[in-house]
Structures are given as structure tokens and as C-alpha cells.
């Protein structure tokens, strides 16, 4: 699905040097490279504060902790996402309220959100799934009206840009109260281990986020709140310093591959290509098709037999998972998610896809479907 080796070999000298710099300096934790990365990412995102941490799951957990939510508070998120988004809500004793997504964008349904908000709702966690922003303008308006916090899960959409109705643009993750991301190796900006970060324009929140990620420490050996230990190490930070200047180029390469796929798949009845919203560009963390003739599983097996990597993100709705089974499980609330889990299939998507590979993948699929 991804080709991290080619990407590394393209910039091997720079990466090797960035690692060697940390080895020479030996500040493996909280070294100057971490501060540099924080500043570099603040510049790139045009956001006041970036707080690096250990991974994208921690980033979500620390964000929820910083908002001072209490057990029983409701946090609305989507049924169609990676488990990390909902597990942290449960871990903190909060009540996840899983809602449906839109069938064509795979992102949070605004009508479902409107229905789900109650006086107990304290936060909304939209996920910018597969590389495209959720409908943030509508989400932010509802959040403002009901005085609810918004945490944007940007693990799959770093570098994506949201276009507001007045024409202004903002980077994914910088619109809500807090944005979170992951630098897991296969994400759009990946390091060579685990890594994550939080973003905010709120000075006070930035202090809290930093404190919580460092054992709840406000000043050396003074603990005002219970925190956790979650750090981006210096080697990962310096790898990210080397890779950040390539993020737009990488996202561009993903978009070019997506354009090739889209062109090849026009006018096929049994297949729907990913829709790009009017209010967001798409950085294609995943290129996800919908197979509408009921033969998704067959196609999945066939592609495997042809040695074409492909994956089902996600095969089971969260609301039916044992760990997250909702008390209120009216299937009528999950019509789109229940449909998508049977239709979606993601094709190879990365920064080193060659024309011959794209041709082979699309030809194989077209021959099979026709
Ligand atoms: C990858 C991912 C995460 C978690 O990131 P980690 O760094 O693996 O903890 C959270 N949310 C979404 C939507 C993701 O894709």
C-alpha cells in the first residue's frame, strides 16, 4: 500500500545526516531538534502553538484531558474511523456518541451531528478522513452556538486546506479548539517510529497541553494536574525537520496518482471514485473506491491474487465493535456507515507510484469489473 523505501532512498543523505546530528549531540529527549520542529510546523500550518507528543492517539487523549471534561460528558465523533479516535474518549470515562458519516465524502454528517447534540455534549471530534477535511464551517457554527469544543483529528490529512465560504483558507487541524496529528510512518508526513502533535491558537490551552504531556508538570517538580508521559524524541523530530519541506510535494504526488485513478475509472457503473468536496482539497492519505455491485470482497480477493495490495478501511463500524457497542444502537442512525463498510476498498497510494504500476492496477481492476 505504501512504499517507504523509495521515499527514503530519494532523500537518504539528508535523512542520514539528520539522524547523525542527533547522535553527535546526544540530547535524545527534548533536544534542540524538537524545538526546531515545533517552530517549523507552526510556520507551515500558520498556527500559534504546536505541541509535539508521542503519537496521534496520545495527542487525542491529551487534548481531551486539557479541556477539563468530566465523566459522563458526551463527546461526539464518527462511527467510521480508526479506533484511536473513540478509545481515548472511553479511556477517560467520557461518553462517546458515535454518529454517521456522509456517504460520498466519508466525513461527519452534519445532519447527524445536529441530532446528536444534547446539553451534555462537551466536545466534537471530526476526523478529516482519508485526507479530506470534514465540513468544518458547519461544525464550527454548531459548536459555537452550543458552546462546544472541537478537536480535529488530522492524522490522515496533514497539509490539507479548508476553504471557507468567504474564500479564506486554513490548514486542516488549525480551525477547531485543538488539532491533533500522527507522524506514524505511513501518514502523509511520517517519521521513522512513533510521533504526534497537537495544534492550537489558544495560549492558555497550549500551556495545559504541554504540561499534561509532561506528567502534568507546571514547573520543575510541581504537578498541578495528573498528566501522562508523551514525547516526540529528537531523532524523530529531526527526521521530520528533513521531511516537512517535502510535504507539499508528497501531497502533490498523491494527488497526481489519484487523478490517474479517477480518469481510468470514469464511467464504470459499479464503481464510485472519491468525491472531492467544494470546501476542501484532498491530500489522499487513502484513495478509496466504493464498489456498488456487491462484489467488493471478490475484487479484494482477486487483487490479492494478482499481487496488487489493497485494503478495507474500515471493515466493521465502531458501534458494533465489542469494545464500543453503544447502548443506543438503532441501526437507522448508521445507514451510511453500514453501507460503506461493505463497499469501500483502498488502492495503493504513496509518493513513489510509477506510471506502469498505476496502469497495471487500473487495467487489472477494469478488466475484472467489465
Ligand atoms: C493513525 C491515526 C490515529 C492514531 O495515530 P497513532 O500515531 O498511530 O497513535 C488517530 N486517528 C486516525 C484517524 C488515524 O488514522
Amino acid at each position: 500500500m505504501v512504499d517507504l523505501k523509495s521515499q527514503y532512498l530519494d532523500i537518504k543523505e539528508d535523512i542520514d545526516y539528520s539522524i547523525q546530528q542527533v547522535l553527535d549531540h546526544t540530547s535524545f529527549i527534548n533536544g534542540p531538534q524538537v524545538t526546531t520542529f515545533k517552530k517549523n510546523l507552526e510556520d507551515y500550518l500558520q498556527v500559534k502553538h504546536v505541541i509535539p507528543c508521542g503519537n496521534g492517539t496520545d495527542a487525542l487523549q491529551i487534548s481531551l484531558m486539557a479541556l477539563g471534561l468530566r465523566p459522563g460528558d458526551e463527546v461526539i465523533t464518527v462511527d467510521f474511523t480508526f479506533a484511536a479516535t473513540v478509545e481515548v474518549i472511553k479511556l477517560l470515562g467520557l461518553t462517546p456518541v458515535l454518529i454517521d458519516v456522509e456517504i460520498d465524502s466519508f466525513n461527519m454528517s452534519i445532519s447527524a451531528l445536529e441530532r446528536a447534540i444534547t446539553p451534555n455534549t462537551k466536545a466534537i471530534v471530526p476526523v478529516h478522513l482519508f485526507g479530506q477535511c470534514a465540513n468544518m464551517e458547519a461544525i464550527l457554527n454548531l459548536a459555537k452556538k452550543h458552546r462546544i469544543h472541537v478537536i480535529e483529528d488530522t492524522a490522515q490529512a496533514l497539509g490539507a486546506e479548508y476553504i471557507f465560504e468567504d474564500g479564506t483558507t486554513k490548514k486542516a487541524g488549525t480551525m477547531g479548539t485543538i488539532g491533533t496529528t500522527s507522524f506514524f510512518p505511513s501518514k502523509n508526513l511520517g517519521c521513522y517510529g512513533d510521533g504526534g502533535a497537537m495544534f492550537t491558537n489558544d495560549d492558555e490551552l497550549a500551556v495545559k497541553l504541554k504540561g499534561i504531556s509532561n506528567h502534568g508538570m507546571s514547573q520543575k517538580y510541581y504537578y498541578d494536574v495528573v498528566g501522562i508521559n508523551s514525547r516526540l524524541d529528537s531523532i524523530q523530530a529531526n527526521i521530520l525537520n528533513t521531511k516537512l519541506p517535502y510535504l507539499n510535494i508528497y501531497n502533490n504526488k498523491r494527488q497526481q496518482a489519484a487523478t490517474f485513478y479517477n480518469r481510468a475509472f470514469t464511467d464504470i457503473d459499479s464503481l464510485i471514485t472519491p468525491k472531492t468536496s467544494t470546501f476542501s482539497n484532498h491530500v489522499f492519505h487513502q484513495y478509496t473506491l466504493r464498489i456498488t455491485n456487491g462484489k467488493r470482497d471478490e475484487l479484494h480477493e482477486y487483487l490479492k491474487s494478482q499481487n496488487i495490495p489493497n485494503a478495507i478501511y474500515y471493515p466493521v463500524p465502531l458501534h458494533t465493535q465489542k469494545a464500543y457497542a453503544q447502548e443506543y444502537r438503532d441501526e437507522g442512525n448508521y445507514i451510511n456507515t453500514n453501507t460503506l463498510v461493505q463497499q469501500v476498498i483502498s488502492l495503493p497510494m504513496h509518493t513513489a507510484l510509477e506510471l506502469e504500476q498505476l496502469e497495471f492496477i487500473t487495467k487489472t481492476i477494469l478488466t475484472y469489473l467489465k
Side-chain angles (χ1 to χ4, degrees):
M1 291 296 282
V2 293
D3 180 355
L4 297 174
K5 187 77 178 275
S6 307
Q7 199 192 55
Y8 164 59
L9 291 177
D10 276 348
I11 53 170
K12 182 179 184 310
E13 258 177 55
D14 291 347
I15 292 281
D16 292 359
Y17 178 68
S18 69
I19 295 172
Q20 189 60 48
Q21 274 183 316
V22 180
L23 299 182
D24 291 341
H25 202 276
T26 65
S27 299
F28 298 114
I29 298 288
N30 288 333
Q33 299 83 8
V34 183
T35 314
T36 305
F37 175 63
K38 170 187 160 67
K39 295 206 175 100
N40 287 341
L41 192 57
E42 284 167 354
D43 280 350
Y44 176 82
L45 292 173
Q46 292 292 298
V47 72
K48 236 169 144 185
H49 305 280
V50 165
I51 300 98
C53 66
N55 57 66
T57 310
D58 282 358
L60 287 162
Q61 179 176 337
I62 296 164
S63 299
L64 287 167
M65 289 170 79
L67 296 179
L69 307 188
R70 277 180 298 215
D73 285 348
E74 292 171 8
V75 179
I76 300 175
T77 191
V78 283
D79 193 30
F80 191 64
T81 178
F82 182 57
T85 323
V86 65
E87 85 193 22
V88 292
I89 300 171
K90 268 248 153 148
L91 270 177
L92 293 174
L94 308 169
T95 304
V97 176
L98 299 173
I99 64 170
D100 211 356
V101 294
E102 292 172 345
I103 193 84
D104 50 4
S105 71
F106 312 122
N107 275 326
M108 182 175 275
S109 153
I110 301 307
S111 56
L113 174 60
E114 277 176 325
R115 284 196 301 276
I117 293 175
T118 74
N120 294 327
T121 308
K122 294 293 148 61
I124 308 168
V125 186
V127 180
H128 303 311
L129 202 73
F130 300 154
Q132 178 169 236
C133 293
N135 186 347
M136 284 305 291
E137 195 148 14
I139 292 168
L140 291 172
N141 285 337
L142 279 168
K144 199 171 168 193
K145 184 169 148 201
H146 296 276
R147 305 169 125 262
I148 306 170
H149 297 294
V150 177
I151 300 173
E152 295 170 68
D153 184 343
T154 317
Q156 301 190 3
L158 201 67
E161 218 154 47
Y162 190 89
I163 308 146
F164 287 86
E165 265 168 35
D166 66 5
T168 56
T169 60
K170 276 188 184 168
K171 283 269 178 358
T174 67
M175 296 169 272
T177 321
I178 306 170
T180 67
T181 202
S182 161
F183 305 117
F184 186 82
S186 64
K187 305 279 162 139
N188 290 38
L189 178 65
C191 58
Y192 291 0
D194 273 310
M198 298 159 283
F199 330 128
T200 186
N201 285 306
D202 182 322
D203 298 343
E204 257 177 63
L205 256 182
V207 173
K208 278 190 191 162
L209 292 168
K210 188 165 181 220
I212 292 170
S213 63
N214 185 25
H215 303 287
M217 201 154 84
S218 54
Q219 45 175 309
K220 203 150 198 179
Y221 300 124
Y222 285 83
Y223 308 94
D224 296 347
V225 293
V226 178
I228 66 171
N229 171 25
S230 185
R231 302 182 279 237
L232 179 72
D233 70 65
S234 307
I235 287 182
Q236 301 308 333
N238 222 24
I239 289 167
L240 290 167
N241 281 327
T242 304
K243 287 185 75 179
L244 182 58
Y246 293 95
L247 178 57
N248 286 351
I249 298 166
Y250 289 157
N251 283 343
N252 222 288
K253 288 193 171 167
R254 290 172 178 273
Q255 288 160 345
Q256 281 168 17
T259 303
F260 186 96
Y261 282 139
N262 281 343
R263 287 202 184 123
F265 295 138
T266 41
D267 301 328
I268 312 290
D269 283 344
S270 49
L271 171 161
I272 301 174
T273 55
K275 181 198 157 196
T276 306
S277 306
T278 51
F279 49 72
S280 172
N281 73 344
H282 202 318
V283 295
F284 291 99
H285 176 61
Q286 298 295 343
Y287 181 86
T288 304
L289 294 170
R290 288 167 55 202
I291 306 298
T292 54
N293 63 358
K295 297 196 170 152
R296 191 273 313 270
D297 290 341
E298 283 169 44
L299 178 63
H300 175 58
E301 291 305 322
Y302 178 71
L303 292 179
K304 270 204 285 190
S305 75
Q306 300 297 304
N307 293 320
I308 295 179
N310 70 100
I312 314 289
Y313 302 122
Y314 297 91
V316 183
L318 286 172
H319 80 275
T320 65
Q321 301 279 1
K322 264 192 204 157
Y324 306 113
Q326 300 292 290
E327 284 157 39
Y328 179 59
R329 256 187 60 179
D330 182 345
E331 292 301 323
N333 286 330
Y334 304 106
I335 291 173
N336 292 339
T337 303
N338 287 342
T339 305
L340 288 174
V341 294
Q342 294 172 24
Q343 292 186 340
V344 289
I345 186 164
S346 299
L347 301 184
M349 175 50 78
H350 54 83
T351 58
L353 275 167
E354 310 222 336
L355 193 59
E356 300 92 87
Q357 293 172 310
L358 289 166
E359 276 169 353
F360 177 65
I361 296 165
T362 50
K363 259 189 207 141
T364 309
I365 294 174
L366 290 174
T367 315
Y368 185 74
L369 286 178
K370 269 177 183 163

